[in-house]
Amino acid sequence: MSVYAETAYGRRSKDVDEARRIYQPKQSDITGKIIIFILAGLCMLLFIFIVIGFFFIAKPLTASLTSVEVRNLRYNNNTSSSSSLYFNATLAMEIRIENPNLGFFEFPTSRGEILYNGDVVGEMRINGQRVASFGDLRTEVSAEVGYRGNQKSPVWLKNDIERRLIILETRAKLRGEVHLKDLNKRTVNLKCLMQLNLSDDVIHRLWCK
């Protein structure tokens, strides 16, 4: 082989080696791309889980009283004797149930209680119904409430009668199912307070928790 051929061959070998060094990816570049692909995959999985959670996992429902009308109110304001103290009335109420889920919520007929200072003074019957997905339901219920004092009645009854203001509490649990999956059973709690104004025969204030 001539000197010229050897020189040309050596030059070609150097060019090939240099081209390989230029176009061969570095190990750090490969590692960086792998990390990017892994992070992108994790983000995609997280997005899928969020979508599944939004559409297929039941969210809490809420219930509240939107209005209360007082009918046939009677009470005794003669506070000379604790045993003569009493009040009774009929409450016509509207309950609102809100369903933020994709599936509808269905509950059977349920019962609720109305309390005065921890004592049950009335009961209400809530008919079983269905609440549409992403919707709400308004249903009307009525309850007879009444409380009569006795010789052991505490001083708060006398004070409430004198100031013509009775604070009542409403409680109910609607145990039903959100129709997405069999495991999506939910309980809706209704818990509200109301101030019954004896002088004006109206609910003076109403707020729900």
Side-chain angles (χ1 to χ4, degrees):
M1 183 181 293
S2 65
V3 175
Y4 175 77
E6 291 180 355
T7 302
Y9 177 78
R11 186 178 296 112
R12 284 197 302 272
S13 298
K14 290 180 180 180
D15 293 340
V16 171
D17 293 340
E18 186 175 355
R20 288 177 179 174
R21 287 196 299 269
I22 293 174
Y23 293 104
Q24 184 176 6
K26 296 180 181 180
Q27 185 66 29
S28 59
D29 294 338
I30 297 176
T31 304
K33 290 181 179 179
I34 292 175
I35 293 175
I36 291 174
F37 287 141
I38 292 174
L39 292 176
L42 291 176
C43 291
M44 184 64 68
L45 287 176
L46 180 61
F47 176 76
I48 293 173
F49 287 146
I50 291 175
V51 172
I52 292 175
F54 181 79
F55 287 104
F56 298 103
I57 298 178
K59 304 170 187 64
L61 292 88
T62 58
S64 60
L65 286 177
T66 56
S67 65
V68 181
E69 182 181 345
V70 181
R71 301 171 183 170
N72 304 321
L73 174 63
R74 295 183 298 274
Y75 67 95
N76 184 5
N77 59 0
N78 182 7
T79 58
S80 59
S81 173
S82 297
S83 59
S84 64
L85 298 175
Y86 74 90
F87 68 86
N88 55 62
T90 301
L91 301 181
M93 299 169 285
E94 183 184 71
I95 298 175
R96 182 187 183 192
I97 304 169
E98 298 177 78
N99 177 22
N101 296 287
L102 176 65
F104 65 87
F105 172 70
E106 192 171 27
F107 63 94
T109 298
S110 308
R111 294 189 177 276
E113 298 176 337
I114 300 175
L115 300 93
Y116 171 60
N117 279 285
D119 294 327
V120 177
V121 296
E123 292 185 350
M124 58 185 178
R125 183 176 183 269
I126 305 173
N127 293 326
Q129 297 181 61
R130 176 183 292 187
V131 187
S133 60
F134 300 116
D136 62 4
L137 169 73
R138 295 173 185 264
T139 182
E140 296 181 354
V141 299
S142 63
E144 301 288 335
V145 297
Y147 188 87
R148 181 172 294 276
N150 52 51
Q151 298 296 335
K152 296 182 180 180
S153 294
V155 68
W156 44 254
L157 176 60
K158 178 180 178 181
N159 293 338
D160 290 346
I161 294 291
E162 286 180 343
R163 66 177 182 156
R164 309 291 194 271
L165 198 61
I166 303 293
I167 297 179
L168 302 174
E169 181 179 2
T170 305
R171 292 180 183 175
K173 288 188 177 183
L174 310 178
R175 302 182 187 275
E177 182 175 344
V178 177
H179 286 258
L180 296 173
K181 292 182 179 180
D182 292 337
L183 299 178
N184 282 328
K185 290 182 172 58
R186 285 293 182 270
T187 298
V188 184
N189 292 319
L190 172 67
K191 192 172 183 180
C192 302
L193 293 174
M194 64 184 84
Q195 288 183 344
L196 171 59
N197 192 313
L198 301 179
S199 299
D200 300 329
D201 296 8
V202 295
I203 295 298
H204 185 67
R205 241 183 117 188
L206 172 66
W207 64 98
C208 297
K209 301 178 180 179

